Amino acid sequence: MKTPEKPRARRRIITLIAAGTTVLVLVAFGVYGLATGPATPREGGATPAPATTSPTVPSSPNSSPSSLVPVVPPVRSSRDPQTFAGNVAHTLFTWDTTTGLMPLDYTAALLDVGDPTGAEQAGLAADIATYLPTRQAWTDLRQYATTQSLTIDSIHVPASWGEALAQAHPGQLPEGATAYTIHGTRHRQGVWNGQPTTAERDVSFTVFIACPTGKPCSLLRLSQLDNPMD
């Protein structure tokens, strides 16, 4: 007997919203990627999208509302390490597939606050790709108006970070380097057959940043999703 198409479609959207595919390990803990150089970028996993409407900017001073161009909100700058780590986490997990933006637009927003020397940019881009949907997954999710957001439940410097600092050779880590492990809840929303569909999932990860004295913090690397530094 042939399976009805509607139940199949419903299972598909629920799977797309609820599933979180973890891809390859791109960061080794301890002194992570900084001691060995940036990782080779890999294609990201099929991890769906956000619940915040992206602001728009006019294409010209006299643009009409219909000509506004969507942009990804920038990561809020901060000289406070914990605040900045939280800002990075929210940008990383807050997407909206309905705006016309693509995963690379969200990647660019995070790279804008990346290592100013450029040494970690390639590795960081590879890390971010494992958190975002692939282009094809994004296109599929757009059919269901999928969005995503994050609630941070806890944020702290992992106990093993002290050991990583002790093992690092002079010059291996940039000034003000630190790490924050974040535990939170990922929220996803979508629409199937005119009805809202939602899913929640616990997530954990580590954000590696540098906050030089008197300067804004920058993003160095990210751990593998659900494999944080403890």
Side-chain angles (χ1 to χ4, degrees), residues 6-23:
K6 285 191 176 181
R8 284 182 178 176
R10 182 173 180 82
R11 285 196 297 272
R12 177 174 174 76
I13 177 56
I14 291 174
T15 299
L16 284 169
I17 292 176
T21 303
T22 302
V23 197

Side-chain angles (χ1 to χ4, degrees), residues 50-68:
T52 300
T53 302
S54 300
T56 55
V57 291
S59 55
S60 69
N62 299 319
S63 295
S64 64
S66 61
S67 63
L68 296 180

Side-chain angles (χ1 to χ4, degrees), residues 18-185:
T21 303
T22 302
V23 197
L24 301 177
V25 179
L26 293 172
V27 179
F29 291 118
V31 188
Y32 61 106
L34 294 180
T36 58
T40 300
R42 299 289 186 96
E43 181 176 312
T47 308
T52 300
T53 302
S54 300
T56 55
V57 291
S59 55
S60 69
N62 299 319
S63 295
S64 64
S66 61
S67 63
L68 296 180
V69 179
V71 296
V72 178
V75 179
R76 287 180 294 173
S77 177
S78 178
R79 296 183 181 182
D80 178 72
Q82 182 170 316
T83 299
F84 181 72
N87 294 345
V88 166
H90 282 296
T91 299
L92 182 63
F93 278 86
T94 301
W95 322 327
D96 189 338
T97 61
T98 68
T99 61
L101 295 168
M102 296 299 291
L104 285 179
D105 296 309
Y106 291 89
T107 298
L110 290 159
L111 291 177
D112 282 345
V113 294
D115 177 16
T117 70
E120 293 299 323
Q121 288 291 78
L124 176 59
D127 297 342
I128 296 168
T130 68
Y131 285 77
L132 294 171
T134 62
R135 186 180 182 89
Q136 183 58 55
W138 188 273
T139 301
D140 292 340
L141 291 165
R142 184 180 291 160
Q143 300 177 52
Y144 307 107
T146 308
T147 64
Q148 179 176 283
S149 62
L150 176 72
T151 298
I152 293 177
D153 300 320
S154 68
I155 178 170
H156 65 278
V157 176
S160 56
W161 179 247
E163 182 180 350
L165 291 177
Q167 293 177 352
H169 297 295
Q172 279 189 324
L173 296 175
E175 179 189 353
T178 188
Y180 279 89
T181 290
I182 297 171
H183 293 263
T185 304

